Amino acid sequence: MKDVVIQFLVKQTKLSAERLDQVLEVPKDPTLGAYAFPCFSLAKEQKKAPHVIAQELAQTKKLPPGILKLQAVGPYLNIFIDMLTTAHETLATILKQKEKYGQGKAAQKETILIECSSPNIAKPFGIGHLRSTIIGSSLARIASGQGAKVKTLNYLGDWGTQFGKLIVGYERWGDTKKLKADPITHLLDLYVKVSADPTLEDAARAAFAKLEQGDKKYLAFWKQFKELSLVEFTEIYAQLGVTFDVYSGESLYNTQKDAVLTELKTKKLLKKDQGAEIVDLELYGLGVALIQKSDGTTLYATRDIAAAQDRQKKYKFTQMWYEVGAEQKLHFRQLFKLLELLGNTWAQGLTHIDHGLYLGEDGKKFATRKGKTVFMKDIVEEAQELATHEVMKREKLSKKEVATRAQAIARAAIIYGDLKNNRTHDMVFDLDRFLAFEGDTGPYLLYAYARARSVLTKAQYKPGKSLKLTKLTASEKALITKLAQFPEACQQAYDQRTPHVIAGYAFQLAQAFNEFYHAEQIIGSTAQASRCTLVQAYTQTLKNALLLLGIEPLEAM
Ligand code: ARG
C-alpha cells in the first residue's frame, strides 16, 4: 500500500519516489492514519508555510483506490488507507512471493565478504566463536535477502606463538593416544603446562620461529593439530546447521610478512622500536601497532593486513564484515587505519561487526556446569540432551523422529537465545531458559509455526484458492498489519547489521497469531477459507523470518 501512497504523492508534489520513501512517516497513533507526509519538504520550494501546503493537499478531490481520506494536521498531511485493500494486497503479495517475501534491494550493488566463526586451532571453540558463527551466518542470509552477493569465510586461528608452546609441550609430554581420542583437551593441557613454566618460554619462542622458517617436523605436528581440531569444530557446525563458503586461516599469510613490511617501509610508515617494527598511530588516537617482533616472527596484525589485501584481490568485495568480539575493537581500528594508510581505497568498506560477551546466570563471566573451561561441544550436547528429554516427555515417537526434533529444538534454542539480543550487548547464557517452550524462545517459535501448520492440515487447506476478504476482526487486522511489516524489518536488520530486529519481529508475529488463534474460530467458521489463507501467509512469513536467523522450522511438534 505504501507504493500506492507514494505514487499518489509523486503526482501531487512532484517529489521523487525515493525522496518520498525517505520522508514518509508512520504515525505512532493509528487514529492519525496509516501514513503522514511532513510538508516541510515542500515549503522552501513552494514558498509557502508547511501547514498551508498540508491544507491544500488535503483538498485533493480524486483519490486512488485504497486511499480513504486525507487530513491536514498542522504541517502534516495524514493519509488514511482502507484496511481491506491493504490486507488483500499484503496477503496476495505473501502468497505470490512465497519464500521471497521480505526480500529487498538495499544491498543489490554490494559484494560482501563476511568473516565469521574463526576459532583457534588446538584451543576450545569458545563462546565468542559461537556468537560469531551464529551472528555472522544470520547476517549473511539477511544481506543476501537484500540482493547482495555474499560469501562467508572462516578465518582459522592456525598460526601464532601458541604453536611454539604446543610443539614444546608435545615433544615433552605428548601422547598420541590422548591426542587422537580428545585432541583439544590434550592440546589444551599441554598448552597450560608449558605456559605455567617460565623456563620454557625461550624454547617455545624458538620453536615458533623454526615453524615459521618451515621446519618439516614441526610443520607435520602443526598439520596434525590442525586436522584433529577441525574434526571437532566441524561437529559443532553440523549440530548448528552452519556451513561456510570458504575456509581460510592465518597460516596462509605468514609467508607474506616480507611483502607487508616492504610496503609499509616504502610508504614510510614503519619505525624501529627496540628491535621490533612498529607503526605509530598516535596521530589518530590509535596507539602503536606492532608489526614484527624483535625475534623476527610475524604477528596477528601483520597477517591480517596480508589477508585483507589478498581477499580484496580474490573476491573484489565492496564490503567486508569482521564478526569478532568487541574486545578486539582497537585491533580492527588499527588494521583499518593501516590499510587506509597503505592507499587501499576499498578499506572504506571494512566494518568490525562486534558482539558482547556471554555471561553466566549470576551475571559473571560464563562457565559450564561440567567444568571450568567452557567447551562448546559440551554445551551443544547438553542442549541436545535436554531437548531430547523434552520431546520424549510430550509424545511417543520413533527414535529417528525424536532425534530430528531434538536437534531442531536444540538448534533453535541456542541460535534464538543468542539472536534475540542486540549483538553489541552482553547477554546471559541460560540454557534452561533458552530451551523453554514458553516465552521469548526458539522452541516457542518452532511451536508457533508447527501449530499453525497443523491447523492447515486439519482444514485440508490447499493454496491457490482465490482470496476474498469482506470484513476483518480486530485480531485479524493486527495480524495482517504485523505481516505487512516484515519487509521493513528485513531492511532494518540489514541497515543496522543486526539480526535481533528479525528475532524481535518473529516473536511479535507469533504473538499476533496467538491472539488471533485464541480470538477466532478457524475450522468450521463461515470465514474458514479466508482465515486459512491468513494462516498460510503467517506460516510463510514466520518461516522466512526463522530461516533468516538460521532456524529451520519443524512441520510438526
Ligand atoms: N581467531 C581469532 C580469535 O579467536 C579471531 C579472528 C578474527 N579475525 C581476524 N581477521 N582477525 O580471537
Side-chain angles (χ1 to χ4, degrees), residues 325-353:
E327 66 282 0
Q328 296 196 26
K329 215 167 234 167
L330 179 63
H331 166 73
F332 284 105
R333 290 183 62 199
Q334 289 187 337
L335 174 65
F336 299 168
K337 186 46 94 185
L338 286 168
L339 287 164
E340 182 197 314
L341 291 174
L342 283 172
N344 301 299
T345 45
W346 48 263
Q348 288 168 355
L350 306 178
T351 316
H352 175 200
I353 308 275

Side-chain angles (χ1 to χ4, degrees), residues 384 387-388 391-392 395-409 554 556:
Q384 196 103 338
T388 308
V391 172
M392 302 215 315
E395 223 180 309
K396 225 181 142 31
L397 296 161
S398 72
K399 240 188 174 163
K400 198 171 151 230
E401 186 61 20
V402 170
T404 312
R405 289 192 193 184
Q407 184 178 56
I409 292 169
L554 285 166

